[in-house]
Amino acid sequence: MEKAFMRRLAEPKLENPIFVQGLPGFGNVGRIAAHLLIKFCDAKPFAELYSPSFPDYVSIDAKGICQLPRYEFYYAPLEKNNLVIMTGEIQPSFDDVVAYYEVCEEVLDFVETLGCRFIVTMGGIPITEDKTQVYIAATSPRLATEFMEKGAVIYSKGRIVGATGLTLAMARERKLDGVSLLGTTTGFRADREAGFLVFKFLMKSLGKEIKEGLVENNAPEE
Amino acid sequence: MEKAFMRRLAEPKLENPIFVQGLPGFGNVGRIAAHLLIKFCDAKPFAELYSPSFPDYVSIDAKGICQLPRYEFYYAPLEKNNLVIMTGEIQPSFDDVVAYYEVCEEVLDFVETLGCRFIVTMGGIPITEDKTQVYIAATSPRLATEFMEKGAVIYSKGRIVGATGLTLAMARERKLDGVSLLGTTTGFRADREAGFLVFKFLMKSLGKEIKEGLVENNAPEE
Amino acid sequence: MEKAFMRRLAEPKLENPIFVQGLPGFGNVGRIAAHLLIKFCDAKPFAELYSPSFPDYVSIDAKGICQLPRYEFYYAPLEKNNLVIMTGEIQPSFDDVVAYYEVCEEVLDFVETLGCRFIVTMGGIPITEDKTQVYIAATSPRLATEFMEKGAVIYSKGRIVGATGLTLAMARERKLDGVSLLGTTTGFRADREAGFLVFKFLMKSLGKEIKEGLVENNAPEE
Amino acid sequence: MEKAFMRRLAEPKLENPIFVQGLPGFGNVGRIAAHLLIKFCDAKPFAELYSPSFPDYVSIDAKGICQLPRYEFYYAPLEKNNLVIMTGEIQPSFDDVVAYYEVCEEVLDFVETLGCRFIVTMGGIPITEDKTQVYIAATSPRLATEFMEKGAVIYSKGRIVGATGLTLAMARERKLDGVSLLGTTTGFRADREAGFLVFKFLMKSLGKEIKEGLVENNAPEE
C-alpha cells in the first residue's frame, strides 16, 4: 500500500447529498457527533478509505478479528437531504503534515464524484471558560451569517487544527460550499455533551429538531 | 536504494507453505520465538529483504564484517507443513508509519508468490499482571475460535502495534487466513519465557508437542 | 494536493522586477519588513502558493471564512524598480527539511518566469548584545561589499536557518544575484523595530529614504 | 531540488582510484581525517553533491557569501594510488533515515563511475576508556585480517551509525571491497588527536609513514 485507496461496498444512488465528516480530536466531539448522526439516521456503510499514513497499529474487535485503520463512509436518505457521513477512529500521524493534505484531497475527490456540493465538518475547540456553544467557520460570508442566524457564533480569527479545518478550506479552494461546526469542550476526554450539541445543531439546520436524551445512550464509549 | 528490494539466495520448492513472522518488539517475544522455530526446524536461509526505511546503522559481526539491516527468510519442510519463517534485528524507524505499510506489503507480496495462504505473526503484548499467556487475534471468527480451543485467549478489543498487527490485518484485506500469537510479557527486556511459550503454542498448533528445556539454550541473547 | 501549486490572480507586466521575500522567523523580522513594504508601496496581490508541506491548520478571518496556509505574492511598480514581494504566515513544518528545499525551488522557478534576476530575502538573526543592526549575506563578494558600503555589516562566518538562507543560496546556484538582509533581534517575540530597520535599509538601497514613524502603525500585530 | 544532484567541476583522469570518505560525527573524527588527507595530498576539488535531505540552513563564509550544504569531492594522484576524497560539513537530517540510504547510494553510484573499486570510510566511535585506537570493520574477513595485521583492532559485534557504516555495507552489497577506519574518541567535541590517528593509519596502509606534528596545524577548527 503506497497510496490511499477507496474500497466501495455498495453503490447507493444519492441525489445532491450533503457530506458530513466527524473525526477524533479535541474532546472527540466530531467523532461523537458523527456516530449520533449515523445512529439517528440509521445510515448504512458503503465505502472505506485506507491509507499508509494512518497509524501503524490495528484494532481487534470483541471477537478477536483484526482491522486496519480506516475511514468509514455511510449514507442516509433523509426526507429533505441525502447525507454521506464519514467517521473513523484515527487521524493521520500527528507530525505527518503532508498526509493530512493527501487524505483530505482523497476524501474530497471521492465525495465530489458522489455529487456532494456542500461539506460539513464537525469538531471540537478547546475553551477554558465553561460555556457550551457551537462555533462556525465557513467557505463564504453568506454561509457564516446564515449559520450565525441559526444560533452559532462566528469563530472569528480562530485556527482549526487537522482534518476538520483542512477539509473545509480545501473544499473552498474547489468552489464547494461548506461549514465547520465546532463544539466548545473543556478537556481532552470524550465530551458527549459537546458532541450531542453539535449533532443537534446540525439536525436543526437540516430541519429536524432533536430532543435532549433521545440518542444520548447511543454515543460511542471512548 | 530508493525502494525495498528482495534478494533471493535459493529457490526452494515449497507446497502450500505457512508463513511465520517474528520481529523485535515488546520483550522481543516475536524474534525469540522465530529463532527457536528456525533452530528447532533446522530452517535454511533463502531470501533477504532490504529497505531504505530500515535504521541507518550497520551491524558488525564477530569477524568484523559489516552488514546492512535486513529481514531474513528461512524455509523448513516439516512433516505436515512447509514453513517460511521471517525474522530480523530491526523494524522500520519508529515514527515512519508509511514505511511500516510499505514493508508489510512487500513481505506479503513475496510470500504470496511463494504460495503462502496462511499467515502467522508472533509478538509480545505488555501486561501488568504476572500471568504468562498466549493471546490470539485472527482474520476470521472461525480461526479465532479454533485457536481459542487450542488454549489461546482471544485478544478482545485490544490493539497491536507495528508489523505484527499490520501484516495480519493486511493479510485479511488480501483474503488470506492468519493469526497473531501474542505472548504476555511484563517488561521491555528480552523475555525468553514468553518467546518459548509462543513458539511452543505454535508447534502444538502444527501438531508437534515441545517439551520444556529442549531449545531454551538456543534463544538469541539480545 | 500532492505537490506545491501556484495560483495566479492577475498577470501584471513587470520589467526586470526585484524579488523581495519576508517570512516568519526570529522576531518575525522578515514578515514585518515585507508587510511594511507592501503597505508603503501599495502593492497588489497577484499570486498564491499552496503546498502540502505547509502546516495542517487553517486560519479563520474576522468574518469566519477559512483559509488554507499559503504564500502570497504582491507586485508594486516603483519609480525606479518593479518589485515582487512574497510573504506569508507560515514556513514548512520545522522538521521537514526536504519541504524547505522544494518550496524554495518552487518560489525561484516562479519568480524567474516573472523575469526577476535579483533576489532579496529578509529575516532576523538572534543576537545577545543589545545593538540593532542590519547584517548582509550575498551571492557574490561584489554585492556584499556594495551593501556594506550602504551601511550593512557582513554576516561573516554566520549561518542562516530556513527559507531566508536557502532561497538566497539556491538563487546563487542559479547564477542569480541577491542578498539577505538580516535584522538583529534579541527575542522570539515580534520585533517591529528590527523589521522597520530592515525595511528602511532596503528602501534606502532602492533609492528611497524612509523617515521614522511613517509606517510604524501599519505593522502586522502578531 | 527534488533529488540529490552531482555537479562536476573538472574531469580528472584517475586510474583505479581509492575512495575515501570522512564526514562529521562522533568527535568529528572522519571529517578531521579527511581534511588532513586533502591538505597532505594537496588534493583538488572536482565535484559537489547537493541534496534536499541536507539541513535547511546555509553557511556564510568570511566574505559574506552564502553556500548551500554539500559534499565536496577532491582528487589526489599519489605515487602508488589515486585518491578520491569526499568530505562535508553536514550529514542528512538526524531522523531522515531514507535520506541516508539515498545519499550513500548516490555517492557510490558516482565513485563507481570514476572507477573506484575500494572504499574507505573514516569515523569515530565513542569509547569510555581512555585509550586511543583505530578499529576496523570490513567487507570481507580477508580485509579485516589484513588491516588487523597493520595495527587496527577488529570492531567485533559493534554497530556503526550513519553514513560511515552505511556506505561500507552498501559497498559490500555491490561486491566492492572496503574498510571503515574508526578512531576511538571520548567526547563529542572535535577530537583532532583521533582524526590524526585515523589519517596516519590510512597513510601507513597506503605505504606512507606520517610523522607526528607534520600536519597538525592544518586541521579544521570546528
Side-chain angles (χ1 to χ4, degrees), chain A:
Chain A
M1 196 192 311
E2 291 186 28
K3 294 195 55 170
F5 75 90
M6 190 70 66
R7 167 180 294 161
R8 297 295 292 266
L9 309 174
E11 301 276 347
K13 296 234 161 144
L14 299 163
E15 272 181 50
N16 300 315
I18 291 171
F19 175 61
V20 185
Q21 164 186 310
L23 292 171
F26 293 116
N28 236 1
V29 175
R31 191 176 164 226
I32 290 170
H35 275 254
L36 291 171
L37 192 60
I38 289 164
K39 282 278 166 67
F40 181 80
C41 301
D42 193 24
K44 307 294 180 201
F46 74 105
E48 298 164 351
L49 178 71
Y50 295 85
S51 166
S53 305
F54 287 164
D56 55 348
Y57 58 77
V58 304
S59 301
I60 314 300
D61 70 14
K63 290 181 181 171
I65 310 310
C66 61
Q67 178 62 63
L68 279 183
R70 59 182 178 176
Y71 286 170
E72 292 169 293
F73 292 81
Y74 295 79
Y75 70 96
L78 295 196
E79 284 166 45
K80 293 193 185 168
N81 299 97
N82 289 306
L83 295 186
V84 170
I85 307 159
M86 185 187 90
T87 189
E89 287 181 26
I90 41 89
Q91 290 220 16
S93 312
F94 181 65
D95 55 358
D96 187 352
V97 173
V98 174
Y100 272 95
Y101 278 82
E102 281 173 2
V103 167
C104 291
E105 285 296 10
E106 197 72 30
V107 168
L108 286 174
D109 284 349
F110 177 59
V111 302
E112 275 207 272
T113 66
L114 298 175
C116 298
R117 303 290 306 163
F118 195 90
I119 308 295
V120 179
T121 71
M122 304 183 297
I125 44 174
I127 294 277
T128 47
E129 50 182 316
D130 194 21
K131 197 187 168 201
T132 56
Q133 185 74 50
V134 174
Y135 277 84
I136 177 99
T139 54
S140 70
R142 182 184 58 77
L143 275 167
T145 306
E146 191 182 314
F147 278 77
M148 191 181 65
E149 284 164 4
K150 287 172 179 164
V153 178
I154 288 183
Y155 190 43
S156 175
K157 299 195 175 178
R159 181 179 278 188
I160 311 175
V161 177
T164 305
L166 273 192
T167 301
L168 185 72
M170 284 180 173
R172 181 169 171 244
E173 293 297 317
R174 292 168 179 236
K175 315 287 182 206
L176 301 174
D177 289 324
V179 293
S180 281
L181 302 180
L182 305 160
T184 55
T185 180
T186 50
F188 282 84
R189 275 192 282 176
D191 187 338
R192 290 187 184 215
E193 193 191 352
F196 181 74
L197 198 66
V198 167
F199 159 70
K200 193 178 153 192
F201 183 87
L202 173 62
M203 291 311 289
K204 188 177 141 203
S205 305
L206 297 172
K208 292 249 182 213
E209 283 290 342
I210 302 291
K211 286 177 194 157
E212 296 290 338
L214 183 64
V215 292
E216 211 164 347
N217 297 322
N218 291 318
E221 281 173 24
E222 187 189 341

Side-chain angles (χ1 to χ4, degrees), chain B residues 79-111:
Chain B
E79 285 166 44
K80 295 193 186 168
N81 299 98
N82 289 306
L83 296 186
V84 170
I85 307 160
M86 185 187 89
T87 190
E89 288 180 27
I90 41 91
Q91 290 219 18
S93 312
F94 181 66
D95 55 358
D96 187 353
V97 172
V98 174
Y100 271 95
Y101 278 82
E102 281 173 1
V103 166
C104 291
E105 286 293 12
E106 197 73 29
V107 167
L108 286 173
D109 283 348
F110 178 60
V111 301

Side-chain angles (χ1 to χ4, degrees), chain D residues 39-151:
Chain D
K39 283 278 164 67
F40 182 81
C41 302
D42 193 24
K44 307 293 181 204
F46 75 103
E48 298 164 350
L49 179 71
Y50 295 85
S51 166
S53 305
F54 286 163
D56 55 348
Y57 58 77
V58 303
S59 300
I60 315 299
D61 70 14
K63 289 181 182 169
I65 310 310
C66 61
Q67 179 62 61
L68 279 183
R70 60 184 178 175
Y71 286 170
E72 292 169 295
F73 292 81
Y74 294 80
Y75 70 96
L78 295 196
E79 283 166 44
K80 294 192 185 171
N81 298 98
N82 289 307
L83 296 185
V84 169
I85 307 160
M86 185 187 87
T87 191
E89 287 180 29
I90 41 90
Q91 290 220 17
S93 312
F94 181 66
D95 55 358
D96 187 352
V97 172
V98 173
Y100 272 94
Y101 279 82
E102 280 174 1
V103 166
C104 291
E105 287 292 12
E106 197 74 30
V107 167
L108 286 173
D109 283 348
F110 178 60
V111 302
E112 276 208 90
T113 66
L114 298 175
C116 297
R117 303 289 306 162
F118 196 90
I119 308 295
V120 179
T121 70
M122 305 183 297
I125 44 175
I127 294 278
T128 47
E129 51 181 315
D130 194 22
K131 198 187 169 203
T132 55
Q133 185 72 52
V134 174
Y135 277 85
I136 177 99
T139 53
S140 71
R142 183 185 56 77
L143 275 168
T145 308
E146 190 182 314
F147 278 78
M148 192 182 63
E149 285 163 3
K150 287 173 179 163

Side-chain angles (χ1 to χ4, degrees), chain C residues 46-160:
Chain C
F46 75 103
E48 299 165 349
L49 178 71
Y50 295 85
S51 166
S53 305
F54 287 163
D56 56 349
Y57 58 77
V58 303
S59 300
I60 315 299
D61 70 14
K63 290 180 181 171
I65 310 310
C66 61
Q67 179 62 61
L68 281 182
R70 61 184 175 173
Y71 286 169
E72 292 169 294
F73 292 81
Y74 294 79
Y75 70 96
L78 294 196
E79 283 167 43
K80 294 192 185 170
N81 298 97
N82 289 306
L83 296 186
V84 170
I85 307 160
M86 185 187 88
T87 190
E89 288 181 26
I90 41 89
Q91 291 220 16
S93 313
F94 181 65
D95 54 358
D96 187 352
V97 172
V98 174
Y100 272 94
Y101 278 82
E102 281 174 0
V103 166
C104 291
E105 287 292 13
E106 197 73 31
V107 167
L108 286 174
D109 284 348
F110 178 59
V111 301
E112 276 208 89
T113 67
L114 298 176
C116 298
R117 302 290 306 163
F118 196 90
I119 308 296
V120 179
T121 70
M122 305 183 297
I125 44 175
I127 294 278
T128 47
E129 50 181 316
D130 193 23
K131 196 185 169 203
T132 55
Q133 185 73 52
V134 174
Y135 277 84
I136 178 101
T139 53
S140 71
R142 181 185 56 77
L143 275 167
T145 307
E146 189 181 314
F147 277 78
M148 191 181 67
E149 285 164 3
K150 287 173 178 163
V153 178
I154 288 182
Y155 189 44
S156 176
K157 299 195 177 179
R159 180 180 278 189
I160 311 176

Side-chain angles (χ1 to χ4, degrees), chain B residues 1-2 5 7 48 50-69 89 93 95-96 221-222, chain D residues 3 94 97-98 100-102 105 136-141 144 154-162 165-166 168-170 172-173:
Chain B
M1 195 191 312
E2 291 186 29
F5 76 90
R7 167 181 294 161
E48 298 165 350
Y50 295 85
S51 166
S53 305
F54 287 163
D56 56 348
Y57 58 77
V58 303
S59 300
I60 314 299
D61 70 13
K63 290 181 182 169
I65 311 310
C66 61
Q67 179 61 62
L68 279 182
E89 288 180 27
S93 312
D95 55 358
D96 187 353
E221 282 173 24
E222 188 189 339
Chain D
K3 295 193 56 169
F94 181 66
V97 172
V98 173
Y100 272 94
Y101 279 82
E102 280 174 1
E105 287 292 12
I136 177 99
T139 53
S140 71
I154 288 182
Y155 189 45
S156 175
K157 299 195 176 177
R159 180 180 279 186
I160 311 175
V161 177
L166 272 193
L168 185 73
M170 284 180 173
R172 181 168 173 246
E173 293 297 317

